Amino acid sequence: MMSRYIRRRVINTVNMTVAVLMTAFGVFWVVWILWTTLRYGITALHPQLFLEDTPPPGADGGGLRNAFVGSLILLGLAVTIGTPVGVLAGTWLGEFASKHKKTGAVVRFLNDILLSAPSIVIGLFAYAILVDPLGHFSALSGGVALALILIPVVVRTTDEMLRLVPVSLREAAIALGTPYWRMVTKITWRAASTGILTGIILGVARVSGETAPLLFTALNNQYFSTNLSHPIANLPVVIFQFAMSPYANWQQMAWAGAFVAVIFILLLSFGSRRLLSREPHKS
Amino acid sequence: MKGSEAASSAPLELRAASEQKSAGKTSVVPADFLFRSLTAFFALVVAATLVAIMGSLVLEGWSALRTFGWKFLVTSTWDPVTNEFGALVFIVGTLVSSAIAMLIAVPVSFGIALFISELSPSWLRGPVSALIELLAAIPSIIYGMWGLLVFAPWFAQVVEPWLNDHVGALPGIGVLFQGPPMGIGMLTAGIVLAIMIIPFIASIMRDVFMITPTTLKESAYALGSTTWEVARYVILPYTRTAVTGGIFLGLGRALGETMAVTFIIGNANNLSASLLMPGSSIASVIANEFTEATTPLYKSSLLALGLILFVITFIVLVFAKLLLLRLETSLEGKKS
């Protein structure tokens, strides 16, 4: 009997040790990846990076100004297209879908699938509907591709946040004779605004690192451009191109770009988390 | 779920009342109707997007599928010069790299979830969870760069020679680990994929482990179970469905992951038995060759590859979501 007890204790200790080691293993990679990005990124940072455009192959100097500006334009497009669509669709799910339970469940289900769909497929879709028919790559098609990735994130958070708004608030508004649509726009949207904003920020954090959908929509541009119907430089694709290149100064610039991207994304996710933890009725 | 349904169905009855009351003002009712139709329209747009994606890929990939028929799936020739295309190399590459990733990610995620939910002192729980979730926030292009410029050289110098000498000599599985230590290849891609999907699987496992009723766990402890026995015979059976769902969600991610794989899989368009040799996945070949595809048939073949990838991930994700529906219900039940 004693030996059986000892065996159980040994199995327990071994397995628990393995669990601790697995956790250390997971944390190890985060630290390694972030440490590498910080180390190479900081050494490659200099003011030129933000003032000059990407250099031609083999040339010295240059920066990533066109890529930073291009990425901001693409993000702007994604937010401009994605936010209204996402918030309105999420509003239907959160406010009106209880009358159509089955349809609501199906829309939620499809939205969740869209949320996890491979981003390269979204890129192919944007290519098929915007680049192929129009005959040229464009910043606009890149923005649409990013919007398609942003939308399901916004739909989901809007839906969840609206369902957290207490019924008494709606009842109070209706009791005062407020039309339903004004109740939604003035009361429930406002009550859920922090949560919806968090969803949009999280969505932006997610799309700002996306590379695959931009490869054949926004493409890339060696020059500074703000024209929405032309290819546009953008940080992820420039990082991809420069990191794969044999030139040392290009690789360095890729690290600097990666550093800026990681800091940007971490600030966004951290900021949205702070925003949500201030929310009084968080889940 | 129950609570929130009750929450949102109550105002609907009120709405009818408010519409009646304000019937005198004719502008109000159309405004309500318009607002509701507008939101419903966008909800349908979101739902229709998925159908549209599928439709456009079928349409654009049709000429390749018609030319090659079902042989497209089982041919390994990929030759833009002679215009002969087959998807086998890439399908195998996608499945093998994802399988390696799952083999590593599932046990590691289980260990992490177990640590966070059962072993960790409460002050460590938050920081460890946050660090693991940080893995999900890092964009895949960074994984790719780090994988190519930092991890692969280290892997080629330290791990692969060791694998060659020790595992490569074994009969049977040895052939999987033979080959020049190049750093890039199927195995490296699988490992980096594993790191990328760990946060997704681990966070779902942690969530369901946390909602396992304390009374269940405590009854087992009271009978003298060890922590491992509670995990293995109480928590795991209780959460089996959701855990499987989380694993499939991770698999869906791994199958469609593009940039990290494109950097480190090696981009060779042929099959090889060894995991140390370079290969290609569906996503990586699309990312690499799409802008270079000059002939219509070449482009159509790449879009057909996209269709195959979409169909595979769609099936995996639907399966995952169906398994996870139950979890969401119980999580929401806990919330309200």
Side-chain angles (χ1 to χ4, degrees):
Chain A
M1 260 345 245
M2 205 54 202
S3 73
R4 189 168 189 185
Y5 173 73
I6 289 171
R7 211 183 59 158
R8 286 175 55 211
R9 290 294 297 272
V10 168
I11 290 177
N12 185 53
T13 314
V14 169
N15 284 327
M16 292 305 120
T17 315
V18 169
V20 174
L21 288 177
M22 291 297 184
T23 311
F25 181 76
V27 170
F28 164 75
W29 300 108
V30 196
V31 174
W32 190 5
I33 294 169
L34 287 182
W35 164 244
T36 313
T37 317
L38 290 185
R39 198 179 53 151
Y40 289 119
I42 287 181
T43 51
L45 270 186
H46 51 87
Q48 240 184 345
L49 208 64
F50 301 93
L51 300 172
E52 288 178 28
D53 293 342
T54 44
D60 280 337
L64 298 169
R65 181 183 67 135
N66 50 346
F68 288 133
V69 173
S71 267
L72 287 178
I73 291 176
L74 288 173
L75 287 182
L77 275 173
V79 173
T80 319
I81 304 167
T83 308
V85 177
V87 168
L88 285 171
T91 304
W92 186 79
L93 285 175
E95 293 285 337
F96 302 109
S98 51
K99 212 175 167 186
H100 316 271
K101 282 207 179 67
K102 281 214 175 111
T103 325
V106 170
V107 172
R108 261 183 211 123
F109 191 82
L110 292 177
N111 185 63
D112 278 356
I113 303 279
L114 198 58
L115 189 68
S116 316
S119 59
I120 191 152
V121 171
I122 309 275
L124 287 177
F125 176 62
Y127 174 87
I129 60 165
L130 280 172
V131 179
D132 209 19
L134 298 178
H136 55 84
F137 298 100
S138 63
L140 185 67
S141 60
V144 169
L146 292 186
L148 284 172
I149 299 169
L150 180 72
I151 286 169
V153 184
V154 179
V155 170
R156 198 179 172 155
T157 36
T158 306
D159 174 24
E160 281 175 356
M161 291 303 153
L162 286 178
R163 284 194 285 163
L164 285 177
V165 175
V167 195
S168 51
L169 268 184
R170 296 166 216 244
E171 287 174 340
I174 302 276
L176 291 171
T178 321
Y180 205 80
W181 71 277
R182 288 201 56 94
M183 188 272 286
V184 172
T185 50
K186 294 280 173 186
I187 308 291
T188 48
W189 274 3
R190 197 167 281 188
S193 60
T194 318
I196 296 175
L197 188 65
T198 309
I200 297 168
I201 296 176
L202 275 179
V204 172
R206 176 156 173 222
V207 298
S208 50
E210 283 291 353
T211 317
L214 296 177
L215 286 174
F216 23 82
T217 51
L219 205 66
N220 196 355
N221 193 336
Q222 201 196 318
Y223 305 104
F224 186 87
S225 162
T226 53
N227 190 335
L228 293 188
S229 58
H230 284 116
I232 197 166
N234 59 86
L235 195 52
V237 176
V238 169
I239 294 177
F240 177 49
Q241 189 196 346
F242 280 19
M244 288 283 229
S245 80
Y247 311 108
N249 70 321
W250 275 22
Q251 286 194 5
Q252 267 206 330
M253 254 186 240
W255 281 116
F259 174 75
V260 174
V262 166
I263 295 293
F264 181 71
I265 289 166
L266 291 187
L267 281 179
L268 284 180
S269 353
F270 190 68
S272 65
R273 218 171 262 240
R274 285 295 295 269
L275 210 59
L276 201 64
S277 64
R278 281 211 329 245
E279 182 84 328
H281 47 251
K282 63 164 200 148
S283 55
Chain B
M1 195 76 177
K2 284 245 170 61
S4 61
E5 265 166 23
S8 43
S9 66
L12 272 170
E13 288 152 26
L14 287 166
R15 190 176 64 81
S18 88
E19 271 172 13
Q20 270 177 0
K21 213 165 73 179
S22 50
K25 286 184 256 167
T26 41
S27 68
V28 170
V29 179
D32 266 356
F33 176 75
L34 277 179
F35 183 70
R36 197 154 54 106
S37 312
L38 189 71
T39 60
F41 170 73
F42 281 111
L44 288 180
V45 165
V46 170
T49 308
L50 214 59
V51 184
I53 291 174
M54 178 80 90
S56 75
L57 290 178
V58 170
L59 209 64
E60 302 266 329
W62 188 246
S63 82
L65 292 175
R66 204 190 43 201
T67 312
F68 304 111
W70 59 273
K71 282 194 177 144
F72 187 68
L73 294 175
V74 290
T75 322
S76 61
T77 328
W78 185 265
D79 193 347
V81 181
T82 57
N83 254 332
E84 277 177 85
F85 301 101
L88 187 66
V89 176
F90 312 114
I91 295 176
V92 170
T94 303
L95 296 181
V96 170
S97 58
S98 299
I100 299 171
M102 297 314 285
L103 280 178
I104 301 169
V106 170
V108 171
S109 306
F110 182 70
I112 292 173
L114 199 60
F115 176 79
I116 294 174
S117 67
E118 299 300 315
L119 296 175
S120 164
S122 53
W123 58 269
L124 199 59
R125 207 168 268 169
V128 170
S129 291
L131 273 175
I132 299 295
E133 270 165 28
L134 210 53
L135 277 177
I138 300 172
S140 76
I141 181 115
I142 310 286
Y143 279 98
M145 238 181 118
W146 168 83
L148 178 72
L149 301 174
V150 180
F151 182 66
W154 174 81
F155 202 68
Q157 258 177 11
V158 181
V159 183
E160 289 189 345
W162 184 89
L163 282 175
N164 265 334
D165 293 347
H166 293 84
V167 192
L170 296 175
I173 63 158
V175 67
L176 292 175
F177 298 98
Q178 285 162 357
M182 287 183 287
I184 52 173
M186 210 67 107
L187 185 61
T188 325
I191 293 172
V192 174
L193 272 180
I195 305 169
M196 298 182 74
I197 59 173
I198 283 172
F200 295 98
I201 305 179
S203 76
I204 288 179
M205 284 189 180
R206 178 202 61 198
D207 286 350
V208 288
F209 287 1
M210 298 284 239
I211 59 161
T212 309
T214 322
T215 40
L216 276 185
K217 291 190 230 167
E218 282 176 354
S219 345
Y221 280 124
L223 291 171
S225 301
T226 61
T227 314
W228 169 251
E229 284 160 354
V230 171
R232 172 70 188 78
Y233 299 107
V234 178
I235 299 179
L236 204 54
Y238 186 79
T239 56
R240 196 188 299 127
T241 323
V243 165
T244 320
I247 291 172
F248 273 87
L249 207 61
L251 178 61
R253 290 259 162 195
L255 290 167
E257 178 46 53
T258 311
M259 296 321 294
V261 177
T262 309
F263 268 103
I264 46 194
I265 201 166
N267 304 315
N269 291 355
N270 54 318
L271 288 174
S272 51
S274 171
L275 297 179
L276 304 188
M277 294 296 279
S280 267
S281 79
I282 296 179
S284 78
V285 73
I286 298 175
N288 269 320
E289 299 187 6
F290 198 80
T291 46
E292 292 160 15
T294 39
T295 62
L297 190 62
Y298 191 3
K299 192 150 267 178
S300 174
S301 302
L302 285 166
L303 281 151
L305 276 179
L307 176 67
I308 296 171
L309 177 66
F310 185 66
V311 170
I312 300 176
T313 47
F314 184 80
I315 294 169
V316 169
L317 289 173
V318 165
F319 190 56
K321 287 314 290 185
L322 288 175
L323 291 172
L324 284 171
L325 272 182
R326 219 197 276 176
L327 160 73
E328 272 164 26
T329 317
S330 55
L331 271 180
E332 273 183 35
K334 210 171 174 171
K335 261 187 223 162
S336 45

